[in-house]
């Protein structure tokens, strides 16, 4: 039973995410901590959907608002008001699932490295064996803190023994319980409500294995090929370890998909990022958020690209591009900053130590070093000299600068917004422009005025006509 590319209606998923994670020492619920730019819980949800299941219920604490802010209405919610164990948490989802799918997968919101393919394998084994319960195990080099899997001579699972209840022989077992289960739904609901509470008052899902053994019913398992898939995150150290593992997965994916990364260990790429073939990501570069980068780009070294759309053939050297769009064949840097919804059309050159904020630069424009364009619209083929800036903020409001096509903005020009520079107009070096400049006009000085020779020439031309 392959679920890849298909949606399955016979399975529903419950993700247990009500634990606050006191060892994280955080006001953020544990499952909502991020790795590679994505909440752990969302990574689990994505894995479930990748396995073809859309019927998802998330068990959350009393304050569900942080979870709904991340997942919205794409899942159902059940509330566990008191921490009475995993079995109790699963019972809270019964109302939404009891009359639905025939099989229930149980996952955890703080085990973010599970793969869709492993969940598909779990469902396949469960269906083929007609088991009442099928679980994922892993062989861990360090099983400390994990429940050990006990098997009989035939290899059948007979029990899951928690570490605090294990003798020395059991502690030597390396096969451990991951906490991922697939249950036949009618059997699950009948037996879950019959479980006896542990001495601490909790209902534990592991006791369902003992119940199935007592009833002489089939229990199946698969072993995760990668033990990291079942790694739980309980503190900041484990959070960083999970991030390192996922980060390497991401880099491997893109390198196998035609992206060059000469020094992988120094490159950070978030999960939602997309990269085109023949792009190269150089050392000490971070590509974050919902960034999409096209083909044949050179990104880095020492660059940050965050929530940006980058076209084909772009170069970004030692610069920051955030919340902005670059069309094709744009080169940026070094040491420049593009932010705040900037839009850079194709063929634009942005030099050293330039900043662009909430502005649009037209096709073929060249912006020299140590320049700033804020709240500005530049036409095609504009030349912005070194040190030229827009003075867009008057202390209370932002104002717009409009520069026409083929304009020439001299070095150290100050454009005091609101102001319009006409097509083909020019400003002299050091000009302070406080008034609109007509097309094909040169202005100079402080405050900038139309050059006298140009004005006299215009007058003579008018006289001779």
């Amino acid at each position: 039973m392959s679920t890849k590319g298909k949606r399955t209606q016979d399975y529903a998923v419950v993700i247990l995410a009500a634990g606050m994670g006191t060892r994280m020492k955080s006001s953020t619920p544990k499952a909502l901590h991020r790795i590679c730019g994505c909440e752990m819980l969302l990574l689990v949800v994505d894995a479930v959907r990748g396995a073809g299941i859309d019927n998802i219920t998330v068990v959350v604490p009393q304050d569900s608002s942080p979870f709904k802010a991340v997942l919205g209405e794409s899942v159902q919610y059940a509330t566990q008001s008191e921490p009475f164990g995993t079995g109790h948490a699963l019972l809270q989802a019964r109302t939404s699932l009891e009359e639905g799918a025939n099989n229930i997968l149980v996952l955890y919101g703080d085990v973010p490295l599970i793969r869709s393919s492993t969940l598909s394998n779990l469902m396949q084994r469960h269906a083929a064996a007609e088991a009442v319960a099928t679980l994922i195990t892993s062989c861990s080099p360090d099983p400390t803190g994990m429940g050990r899997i006990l098997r009989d001579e035939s290899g059948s699972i007979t029990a899951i023994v928690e570490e605090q209840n294990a003798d020395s022989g059991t502690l030597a077992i390396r096969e451990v319980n991951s906490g991922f289960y697939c249950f036949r739904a009618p059997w699950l609901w009948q037996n879950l409500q019959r479980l006896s509470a542990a001495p601490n008052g909790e209902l534990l899902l592991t006791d369902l294995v003992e119940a199935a053994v007592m009833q002489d019913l089939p229990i199946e398992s698969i072993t995760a090929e990668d033990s990291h898939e079942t790694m739980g995150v309980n503190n900041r150290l484990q959070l960083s370890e999970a991030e390192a593992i996922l980060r390497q997965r991401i880099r491997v994916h893109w390198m196998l998909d035609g992206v060059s990364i000469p020094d992988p260990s120094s490159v950070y790429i978030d999960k939602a990022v997309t990269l085109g073939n023949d792009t190269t990501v150089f050392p000490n570069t971070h590509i974050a958020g919902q960034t999409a980068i096209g083909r044949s780009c050179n990104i880095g070294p020492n660059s940050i690209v965050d929530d940006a759309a980058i076209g084909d053939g772009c170069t970004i050297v030692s610069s920051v591009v955030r919340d902005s769009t670059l069309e094709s064949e744009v080169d940026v840097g070094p040491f420049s900053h593009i932010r705040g919804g900037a839009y850079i059309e194709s063929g634009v050159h942005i030099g050293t130590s330039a900043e662009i904020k909430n502005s649009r630069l037209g096709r073929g424009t060249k912006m020299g070093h140590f320049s700033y364009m804020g709240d500005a619209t530049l036409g095609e083929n504009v030349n912005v000299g070194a040190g030229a800036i827009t003075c867009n903020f008057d202390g209370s409001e932002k104002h717009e600068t409009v520069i026409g096509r083929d304009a020439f903005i001299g070095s150290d020009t100050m454009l005091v917004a609101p102001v319009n520079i006409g097509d083909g107009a020019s400003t002299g070096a050091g000009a302070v422009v406080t008034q609109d400049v007509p097309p094909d006009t040169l202005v100079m000085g402080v405050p900038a005025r139309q050059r006298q020779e140009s004005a006299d020439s215009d007058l003579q031309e008018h006289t001779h006509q």
Side-chain angles (χ1 to χ4, degrees), residues 15-30:
I15 302 175
L16 307 183
M20 290 304 294
T22 55
R23 283 177 281 177
M24 299 294 284
K25 295 180 169 56
S26 174
S27 59
T28 299
K30 179 170 64 170

Side-chain angles (χ1 to χ4, degrees), residues 8-86:
T8 176
Q9 304 301 318
D10 199 37
Y11 289 81
V13 169
V14 179
I15 302 175
L16 307 183
M20 290 304 294
T22 55
R23 283 177 281 177
M24 299 294 284
K25 295 180 169 56
S26 174
S27 59
T28 299
K30 179 170 64 170
L32 297 184
H33 280 266
R34 289 186 168 196
I35 62 172
C36 297
C38 190
E39 291 83 0
M40 293 194 291
L41 175 58
L42 187 54
L43 290 171
V44 177
V45 170
D46 286 347
V48 168
R49 289 185 174 136
I53 308 174
D54 294 317
N55 185 357
I56 303 170
T57 297
V58 180
V59 181
V60 297
Q62 190 70 41
D63 181 9
S64 63
S65 56
F67 297 86
K68 292 181 177 178
V70 171
L71 299 176
E73 300 303 318
S74 64
V75 300
Q76 302 177 81
Y77 297 93
T79 301
Q80 185 184 28
S81 301
E82 299 291 338
F84 291 145
T86 53

Side-chain angles (χ1 to χ4, degrees), residues 150-169:
L150 267 60
R151 297 181 183 269
D152 61 20
E153 294 179 354
S154 67
S156 298
I157 294 175
T158 59
I160 300 173
V161 180
E162 298 300 332
E163 186 169 80
Q164 62 269 26
N165 301 322
D167 57 27
S168 58

